[in-house]
Amino acid sequence: MANSTVEKLTPTRVKLSITVTPDDLKPSIAHAYEHIAQDVQIPGFRKGKVPAPIIDQRIGRGAVIEHAVNEGLDKFFREATVEHKLRVVGRPAADITQWPNEKDFSGDLLVDIEVDVRPEIEIPAYDGITLTVDAIEADEAAIDAEVENLRARFGTLVPVDRPAAKGDFVELDLVATIDGAEIDRAEGVSYEVGSGELLEGIDDAIESLTAGEDTTFRSALVGGDHAGSEAEVSVSVKAVKERELPEADDDFAQIASEFDTIAELRASLVERVSQQGVFTQGSAARDKLVETLLEQIDIPVPPKLIEDEVHNHLEGESRLEDDVHRAEVTEASEKQFRTQVLLDTIAEQADVQVSQEELSQYLIQSASQYGMAPQEFVEALQSSNQLPALVGEVARNKALAIALGKVKVVDTNGKPVDLSDFVVTDDEAADESEAAAEEKPAAKKAAAKKAPAKKADDAEAAEKPAAKKPAAKKAPAKKADDAEAAEKPAAKKPAAKKAPAKKAADKAE
């Protein structure tokens, strides 16, 4: 293994200095000859059978060294991060400061690699933390609201001859144009006026229209190839319908539930309201715990990582010039990074493990949210290198459940809140870790079949370095999307050498 040292540049960035001896590089040199022999065609030799001396003569040892360094640099980088226990969160930028001698491959390869890392933080003591959440109010008003929700579900839509009003359902035809060119069209769209779930500005445009009328308005598109662009939208109202609700009587109870009377139905809703209240309390407690811990801990963020993430986000929305939105996205990205660092640290300290069953359950739940079959959802994640991101999410959720079990939670009336369904005790965490550890051999075998790609998460991605010529030292390679595209290192020889080539930074970008 190559020798390496680490220098802490900032709380979120380090420089690895790696020394690769000729013996360390020798396997990569051998592979380089094999690969080059497969790629070149030289008269008199079969493909893949070109001897090393002929490659030296025709291609040059400079190209062999370059190939070997490109191949071995990632391995040396990974070994160094493991040795120094670095948690990489960004794309490395490598700078070759000394190359082996082209004549006989003697001399060390010296490389400096700068990379963003997860900052080290201290989790404060949970003693003394008290979280306050809203009390559960299973009163008559809450029951009435549940009954109204049921009535709405079983309501019928009746056409009316009047202007559309908030709460009505309208049938619409929509045509969006930019500079007179049609870019999208939708017909027969059913929309609830006032819901705000279609296009910005549509409620104001159609609220006074009756069936058969049309109008135009301008709106920013939220999806498709033109997301973020402002378009002129023509909308035609084909029908206006109001929702008629059934009477809340015994007949309705028999239609909407397994109960015979409305009184029995209302009694059953008390338990539902209570269960929903507990869920709301649990979710609120989790959010408040994160906010409380973030207020107590100074978690630095890597500026370049956030800058690149924000740029990619705004570029995808075609809003690079929107400074107000840039500030909003920057704030959200920084908070997300701090939250991930917090929960990842808690997970490490608690030795959180994710079992195959937990991952499968989370995949099924996530697939249903996207309206996809679980297998289809998994395949989509694998194809976009996102599957391991869910492992990180499950681990963070468990870490938060462990932390939540260590703090006191009360409602606004001062009454202790039972969140036993939302917490994980230390004993439970230890048992789950043992069970997950026993699962690992089988889990690895299954993963090999599916070939799941690496994690798509800033706080856990370990990317490969992109090597640069010494002259390119001031222009580090740019960060890959979301700080986790694990690109292979691209080491290039200095221009003064016999086999010149462009800088690795050029290739990487």
Side-chain angles (χ1 to χ4, degrees), residues 142-155 245 252 272 276:
I143 304 304
D144 289 341
E146 285 298 312
V147 172
E148 288 305 302
N149 289 336
L150 277 176
R151 292 178 67 200
R153 285 175 54 192
F154 287 87
L245 304 181
F252 169 68
R272 178 187 297 184
Q276 291 175 344

Side-chain angles (χ1 to χ4, degrees), residues 14 75 128 156 223 229 234 241 271 301 309 339 389 403 432-433 481:
V14 300
K75 172 177 173 289
T156 56
S229 302
S234 300
K241 302 175 183 180
E271 182 179 355
V301 299
E309 183 176 307
T339 301
E432 290 175 359
S433 295
D481 291 350

Side-chain angles (χ1 to χ4, degrees), residues 32-51:
Y33 276 117
E34 293 174 3
H35 293 163
I36 293 173
Q38 291 287 342
D39 293 338
V40 299
Q41 291 184 347
I42 296 179
F45 297 94
R46 289 181 296 165
K47 195 170 186 179
K49 300 297 183 180
V50 183

Side-chain angles (χ1 to χ4, degrees), residues 125-185:
Y126 298 107
D127 298 341
I129 296 181
T130 299
L131 308 174
T132 302
V133 297
D134 292 336
I136 298 175
E137 301 293 345
D139 54 15
E140 288 301 309
I143 304 304
D144 289 341
E146 285 298 312
V147 172
E148 288 305 302
N149 289 336
L150 277 176
R151 292 178 67 200
R153 285 175 54 192
F154 287 87
T156 56
L157 297 179
V158 179
V160 292
D161 186 16
R162 60 168 175 75
K166 186 176 181 179
D168 288 338
F169 282 79
V170 291
E171 183 181 333
L172 307 173
D173 288 348
L174 299 162
V175 178
T177 60
I178 296 179
D179 296 331
E182 180 179 323
I183 54 95
D184 201 4
R185 172 185 293 268

